[in-house]
Amino acid sequence: MIQISLRPITEQNRDECISLKPRQDQMGFVASNLDSLEKAVEEPSTGAFGIYNEDTMVGFTLFDVTPYEDDDCFWIVRFMIDEHHQGRGLGKAALGQIITTMSHIEGCSKIRTSHVPDNQVVNKLYKSCGFQETGDLVDGEIVLDLVIEGTA
Ligand SMILES: CC(C)(COP(=O)(O)OP(=O)(O)OC[C@H]1O[C@@H](n2cnc3c(N)ncnc32)[C@H](O)[C@@H]1OP(=O)(O)O)[C@@H](O)C(=O)NCCC(=O)NCCS
């Protein structure tokens, strides 16, 4: 059974978070979790969360909990499932939980994300959850938006 929750990264679970990695062939799709936690400190709009299935941390996400100052959107900045836990539906369930959590943040009317063009698995996954390509590229990455219903 899949039971996803998002729990803040703290001193207690930071090392476990850093130990999670995608598959070797996916390394170019996402920064290391150590790098992401450092980025989280530099980007005050973001919050860092472990993705848990029941009580096991299976992945990591970094997303805006206040609007990103450059475009007023709420970005999913990082999203990954550890290589040992992929292919079991956890990524899809986690993305659903991320969207639900973000859509409850006051003022969040649009969720934005981006991915490198080669990452077709995540492109399909985002679209299956309602994201649409904007047609823009940011730093060479494909940008997708999800408008939160009832807020636009
Ligand atoms: C993208 C990612 C989060 C998906 O996690 P996951 O737990 O494997 O995803 P799921 O098991 O829920 O599968 C989601 C969908 O992707 C498909 N999928 C997963 N792995 C796949 C693969 N290697 N090849 C083809 N399809 C794949 C599944 O079939 C499923 O599609 P469906 O809903 O049509 O059946 C994971 O592959 C990952 O962490 N990748 C590396 C980091 C990354 O790319 N992050 C995104 C950066 S923007």
Side-chain angles (χ1 to χ4, degrees), residues 4 6 8 16 24 26 34 54 63 70 79 82 86-87 89 92 102 105 112 120 123-125 129-130 135 139 142 147:
I4 296 290
L6 306 178
E16 192 180 1
Q24 190 68 34
Q26 298 169 328
L34 175 59
E54 297 185 337
F63 59 77
D70 283 6
F79 169 49
D82 179 77
Q86 291 186 16
K92 188 161 192 171
M102 293 179 79
I105 299 172
R112 180 163 285 179
Q120 283 311 308
N123 181 277
K124 211 174 134 219
L125 177 54
C129 289
D139 296 334
I142 291 170
V147 174

Side-chain angles (χ1 to χ4, degrees), residues 2-148:
I2 295 177
Q3 198 178 342
I4 296 290
S5 59
L6 306 178
R7 303 184 195 171
I9 300 298
T10 64
E11 282 308 309
Q12 278 66 46
N13 60 7
R14 180 183 163 88
D15 287 348
E16 192 180 1
C17 175
I18 290 168
S19 74
L20 301 186
K21 294 181 176 55
R23 291 197 319 256
Q24 190 68 34
D25 62 298
Q26 298 169 328
M27 293 290 188
F29 294 163
V30 69
S32 72
N33 289 349
L34 175 59
D35 177 280
S36 295
L37 290 175
E38 286 169 358
K39 186 175 175 67
V41 175
E42 294 162 18
E43 297 277 359
S45 60
T46 60
F49 300 89
I51 297 168
Y52 285 77
N53 184 33
E54 297 185 337
D55 281 327
T56 303
M57 197 194 296
V58 297
F60 170 75
T61 183
L62 180 72
F63 59 77
D64 283 323
V65 292
T66 59
Y68 182 56
E69 59 182 3
D70 283 6
D71 59 11
D72 244 18
C73 288
F74 286 70
W75 281 77
I76 300 174
V77 183
R78 301 282 158 78
F79 169 49
M80 62 82 68
I81 297 291
D82 179 77
E83 58 180 331
H84 300 108
H85 297 284
Q86 291 186 16
R88 293 164 40 203
L90 296 173
K92 188 161 192 171
L95 184 57
Q97 187 61 57
I98 292 167
I99 292 167
T100 300
T101 301
M102 293 179 79
S103 65
H104 284 100
I105 299 172
E106 196 176 335
C108 180
S109 56
K110 191 185 282 180
I111 301 175
R112 180 163 285 179
T113 193
S114 69
H115 66 78
V116 297
D118 284 353
N119 197 350
Q120 283 311 308
V121 168
V122 89
N123 181 277
K124 211 174 134 219
L125 177 54
Y126 282 131
K127 286 178 177 168
S128 76
C129 289
F131 282 82
Q132 293 184 334
E133 289 183 28
T134 65
D136 295 331
L137 290 178
V138 172
D139 296 334
E141 296 201 351
I142 291 170
V143 178
L144 300 99
D145 279 354
L146 174 68
V147 174
I148 305 300

